[in-house]
Amino acid sequence: MATAIAAGALVGCSSNGPTRPTPIPPPPAGSPGDPGGPPSGNPPPVGTVWIDEFDGDAIDTTSWNVEDSTTTRYGGTEQAWRPANVVVRDGQVHLISRRESAGGRQYTSGAINTRGKRTFRVPFRVEVRARIPFGRGIWPAIWIREGQTNTAVIQEIDIMESIGDPFTVWMTNHTWMPQHQQHAGCTKTGEDMSAAMHTYAVEVTEDRIRWFIDGIELCSSTVGIPTDTNHLLINTSIGGSWPGPPDGSTPFPQTFSIDYVRISMP
């Protein structure tokens, strides 16, 4: 999750202007958790070392950390991340964003990560099936960080980011160094990715990073290969230097729904 816009190839484009998608409210109790998309019953890949299908009624804190903070270190965002905004229901985890005051902020949202609990090294594949939220100032992200955030050189792989326009998602890797930065990746455009579930994945080997959506490889990079242990982060930020703040057109509440997470190390 980064404030810099990735350099890379445009994978798809739309011939018509986007139509406004229907807002995604928090799922009511007892309703089907899956809002659409292909079934999730595909067998996990060979070499899978961890799967979370969110089958319980609460997040598994032996695998996940649930953020409770008002950090601004990710692009000056405007939300307070609160555990109450992380809801497990109907076989999914839902990160709910609301326009409400908390911790001196105007918005609350949800964020989870596996730092120190579920880590992995190259070669690896991370796959997440999710339905993203949308709207000006809404910034959902599925991403990977190498090591801890206070190291001198930080490798980051963004499996999926969106900054409000659900017709564009970003796939990027970043190398943050004391003297300069390095970025590579691509975008996918032309389809409303908030309308249904989609599968977002990244495969990383010793010499290449490959990004996939719904099983189709969209782009690759040979720079910024992680060399240390990595962890997974999933969150919705609000506002910040890249997407800008929400405005009157931004519908709340918004929900980032995650059906499953699979990590494999062949």
Side-chain angles (χ1 to χ4, degrees):
M1 184 176 128
T3 58
I5 296 178
L10 185 67
V11 175
C13 60
S14 175
S15 59
N16 299 312
T19 56
R20 184 157 193 81
T22 302
I24 309 170
S31 67
D34 187 350
S40 59
N42 298 326
V46 174
T48 298
V49 295
W50 179 54
I51 302 174
D52 195 341
E53 296 184 336
F54 306 105
D55 289 330
D57 56 7
I59 198 80
D60 177 8
T61 55
T62 66
S63 296
W64 296 98
N65 303 298
V66 181
E67 290 272 6
D68 188 357
S69 70
T70 53
T71 181
T72 59
R73 67 181 182 267
Y74 304 127
T77 55
E78 303 174 35
Q79 80 291 329
W81 279 326
R82 291 293 181 255
N85 295 59
V86 178
V87 177
V88 176
R89 183 182 295 142
D90 301 315
Q92 296 177 359
V93 62
H94 307 279
L95 310 182
I96 302 170
S97 302
R98 300 185 175 97
R99 191 192 301 270
E100 61 182 3
S101 298
R105 305 294 178 83
Q106 300 180 59
Y107 308 97
T108 64
S109 193
I112 56 177
N113 69 75
T114 68
R115 185 183 296 117
K117 295 183 176 181
R118 295 286 182 177
T119 58
F120 43 94
R121 300 182 69 99
V122 174
F124 64 81
R125 173 184 171 91
V126 177
E127 178 179 311
V128 179
R129 184 170 183 262
R131 183 183 184 189
I132 66 171
F134 73 93
R136 177 175 168 79
I138 304 297
W139 186 359
I142 304 168
W143 52 304
I144 293 166
R145 266 285 174 95
E146 179 185 53
Q148 300 299 318
T149 57
N150 59 354
T151 54
V153 178
I154 299 172
Q155 303 284 8
E156 174 182 325
I157 300 173
D158 297 322
I159 303 174
M160 185 288 305
E161 287 186 286
S162 174
I163 53 170
D165 175 7
F167 290 83
T168 301
V169 294
W170 301 79
M171 296 148 281
T172 320
N173 71 304
H174 309 274
T175 303
W176 311 98
M177 293 167 279
Q179 302 302 320
H180 68 283
Q181 303 172 8
Q182 178 175 271
H183 313 281
C186 62
T187 59
K188 171 179 167 56
T189 66
E191 179 181 0
D192 179 5
M193 304 302 283
S194 73
M197 285 278 173
H198 293 276
T199 301
Y200 303 93
V202 67
E203 291 183 357
V204 183
T205 61
E206 287 80 1
D207 60 1
R208 190 171 295 272
I209 302 171
R210 293 180 172 88
W211 286 268
F212 300 80
I213 295 180
D214 295 329
I216 299 172
E217 182 175 343
L218 296 180
C219 59
S220 66
S221 170
T222 58
V223 300
I225 309 295
T227 59
D228 201 349
T229 56
N230 303 269
H231 56 273
L232 175 66
L233 307 93
I234 306 176
N235 55 260
T236 305
S237 297
I238 309 295
S241 57
W242 192 18
D247 60 17
S249 70
T250 308
F252 285 96
Q254 287 285 323
T255 302
F256 188 6
S257 296
I258 298 93
D259 186 35
Y260 67 71
V261 172
R262 293 173 178 167
I263 298 176
S264 55
M265 296 172 61

